[in-house]
Amino acid sequence: MKRDYSINRRTFVTGALSLPLVAALKRPASAAEFNLKYATGQDPTHPVNKRAQEAIDRIREATSGRVDIKLYPANQLGSDTDLLAQVRNGSVDFFNLSSMVLATFVPVCGITSLGFAFKGYDQVWAAMDGDLGAHLAKQIEKTPIFAVSRIWDNGFRQITSSTKEITSPADLKGFKLRVPPAPSLTSLFKALEAAPSPINFNELYSALQTKVVEGQENPLAIISTARLYEVQKSISLTNHVWDGYWVLANKASFARLPTDVQDIISKEIDKSGLEQRKDIATLSESLKADLKGKGINLIDVKQDEFRATLKTTTFYADWKKKYGDEAWSMLEKISGKLG
């Protein structure tokens, strides 16, 4: 094994439901020797799905139609936690999952999303294409799943709000904030005295709309493609956490494929991952102007104030104990001394 973004909600649903059907119509199901499922949690317009579909098309061509992979975006087959269970038991063959959510199953994977660890993409890719990324892939492979390729990009995360503007750590005190079911983010915002509430992504829009929470945090690409700006007023550019998507596969299911097919799948998914990284970096910049045009107030914040606040807590020391000296030293080799 080897390792126009603007749509209305009706178009979102229609596009999501039709995507696997379109893929299926390209070739009679009986023509494929291997029929596989690839699930994602992202809107069909997100670069994750665009690049995944391109990889699927190349795989079909490179295998002369032996492999037919159907793409199921937008949590069609269940929430992220549901899909993690499905890829573990083999009912889904491939699933791209945030490293933060994967940490609920492989705890050390949460280290990539440690609060204010990375200062930019140079540090991110040095870590994830280097020793730290290889170490995490080995830990994933100790389970019934493994990482098919290098990690994809989910971008740096930003805080949005429908109530007050978040400009400093003090503004987070008592702030009701949705976070994914990810211990690293819950811990971060508790350390900053916010009130984090773990909610699955497929429930996020309604939670914001009904004011169950005041705000949330996500990369700009997610904020845009999921139209979260419709129910939020401001975005604070905190870059508080970087997150990536691991493309996971079921080991038993993958092992049943011929070696040449395994190699083609890994190669093409990895290729799309590198292209998706470029997409996110470019998109994150263009989306700032786009979101401003939609009436959203973008706020630049001083990250040093947040780091200084964290250093007055046990945040970094606590996570070092949980992740262990080996992974921590690999991180600090790139990030510099934390805590």
Side-chain angles (χ1 to χ4, degrees), residues 153-167:
D153 190 13
N154 192 11
F156 281 92
R157 301 176 78 89
Q158 322 297 349
I159 298 172
T160 72
S161 172
S162 63
T163 54
K164 60 183 177 181
E165 295 182 352
I166 306 299
T167 61

Side-chain angles (χ1 to χ4, degrees), residues 143-200:
T143 76
I145 59 179
F146 76 101
V148 181
S149 71
R150 282 174 286 190
I151 198 167
W152 293 33
D153 190 13
N154 192 11
F156 281 92
R157 301 176 78 89
Q158 322 297 349
I159 298 172
T160 72
S161 172
S162 63
T163 54
K164 60 183 177 181
E165 295 182 352
I166 306 299
T167 61
S168 70
D171 296 324
L172 284 173
K173 190 169 184 177
F175 183 69
K176 293 186 292 183
L177 181 78
R178 176 270 177 182
V179 294
S184 59
L185 274 176
T186 301
S187 172
L188 170 63
F189 286 106
K190 281 185 176 178
L192 293 171
E193 298 189 77
S197 178
I199 298 173
N200 275 317

